[in-house]
Amino acid sequence: MIGNWSGTVGRTIRTPAAPVTYGLIALCCLLFVIGPASGLNPAYGAGDALLAAQRAYFRRWGVVPAELFEGSPRAALTPATALFVHGSWVHLLGNMLFLYVFGAMTEHRMGRVQFTLFYLGCGYLALLGYAAANADSGQSLVGASGAISAVLGAFLYLFPRARVTSLLPFLFFLPLRFPAWVVLPFWAALQWVAAGRASQGPGVAYLAHLVGFGLGLGYAWARFRPPHAAPSRGTPPGPPAARTGPPDRE
């Protein structure tokens, strides 16, 4: 799950067509509804039978750190399958809201194929990093948080002044507009503090959020940083070239 801060809930920027982002949202929602965590599929039963089905489902498709590094091919795939599994309605809706707000413009800037590989690759590495730091844990970890955190990191670099609407609990949940360069570093700082205070066991995987955010920010910087023209031989170097990326959107 992205985190327990209500944070960003809307956007004030016009979103381009983003079939990959919307496809990911639809797929995660579909898999959740037909799976045992939603409680809507009668095939999984009710009561204790449903709880047992949920535990088995999460263990099969989620990341179990203690099993991941044993060399099992099936376990090696779980950091990818876990990206499409969510533990509750709140978990699902929170993650999908962040993906909806920040995914479309990031996909438009990167392109569909690159964005798909970026999302899956960073999500896999974020969960792998969390598992490596909790290698003895036998509790399953599920959710798209690591991948979505990477999208947030990339968005911060690509659109630092794009304004997003946020709800801040300590300001009585008033909807306020802030640029991304204010909202997203603040969110990352909250994840850092929460990760330092987190008890053992997955719960909310704040470390996966931080790893994903760092990967996304680093990738966007490496891939989309403005080129610098090499000075001609015999002439003194001039000032750095102006940024050639897309204009910031308000």
Side-chain angles (χ1 to χ4, degrees):
M1 187 174 179
I2 279 290
N4 56 4
W5 174 53
S6 54
T8 302
V9 297
R11 56 194 170 169
T12 60
I13 45 181
R14 186 175 181 179
T15 303
V20 175
T21 296
Y22 301 146
L24 288 169
I25 293 173
L27 179 59
C28 287
C29 291
L30 174 62
L31 292 176
F32 179 80
V33 168
I34 65 177
S38 69
L40 299 178
N41 191 338
Y44 292 103
D48 292 340
L50 178 60
L51 292 177
Q54 290 174 352
R55 287 192 294 268
Y57 186 81
F58 296 150
R59 194 166 191 88
R60 178 179 181 183
W61 300 111
V63 177
V64 180
E67 299 177 358
L68 182 59
F69 302 105
E70 294 179 351
S72 166
R74 186 202 66 80
L77 292 175
T78 56
T81 59
L83 297 176
F84 301 94
V85 180
H86 291 83
S88 67
W89 283 100
V90 172
H91 189 193
L92 172 74
L93 295 178
N95 276 351
M96 295 304 101
L97 176 60
F98 272 78
L99 181 56
Y100 174 75
V101 170
F102 295 101
M105 286 184 65
T106 306
E107 175 186 344
H108 182 72
R109 180 68 178 88
M110 290 186 177
R112 297 173 186 177
V113 174
Q114 184 177 180
F115 178 78
T116 302
L117 296 176
F118 164 81
Y119 182 91
L120 296 176
C122 289
Y124 186 101
L125 292 175
L127 295 183
L128 187 65
Y130 179 87
N134 298 270
D136 296 330
S137 175
Q139 193 170 353
S140 55
L141 174 67
V142 298
S145 304
I148 298 172
S149 297
V151 173
L152 267 60
F155 188 97
L156 173 60
Y157 181 81
L158 296 173
F159 308 103
R161 290 202 292 268
R163 291 185 175 272
V164 292
T165 303
S166 303
L167 296 181
L168 302 180
F170 51 84
L171 292 179
F172 304 101
F173 294 96
L174 293 175
L176 301 174
R177 294 172 56 196
F178 296 101
W181 67 265
V182 172
V183 174
L184 295 180
F186 179 62
W187 173 86
L190 290 179
Q191 306 309 298
W192 179 273
V193 172
R197 296 179 177 178
S199 59
Q200 292 185 350
V204 178
Y206 297 106
L207 180 59
H209 302 172
L210 291 171
V211 173
F213 187 84
L215 288 171
L217 182 61
Y219 177 84
W221 174 84
R223 177 65 179 81
F224 296 99
R225 70 181 187 272
H228 295 276
S232 301
R233 182 174 300 178
T235 60
R243 182 166 181 167
T244 58
D248 296 317
R249 305 187 183 186
E250 300 294 328

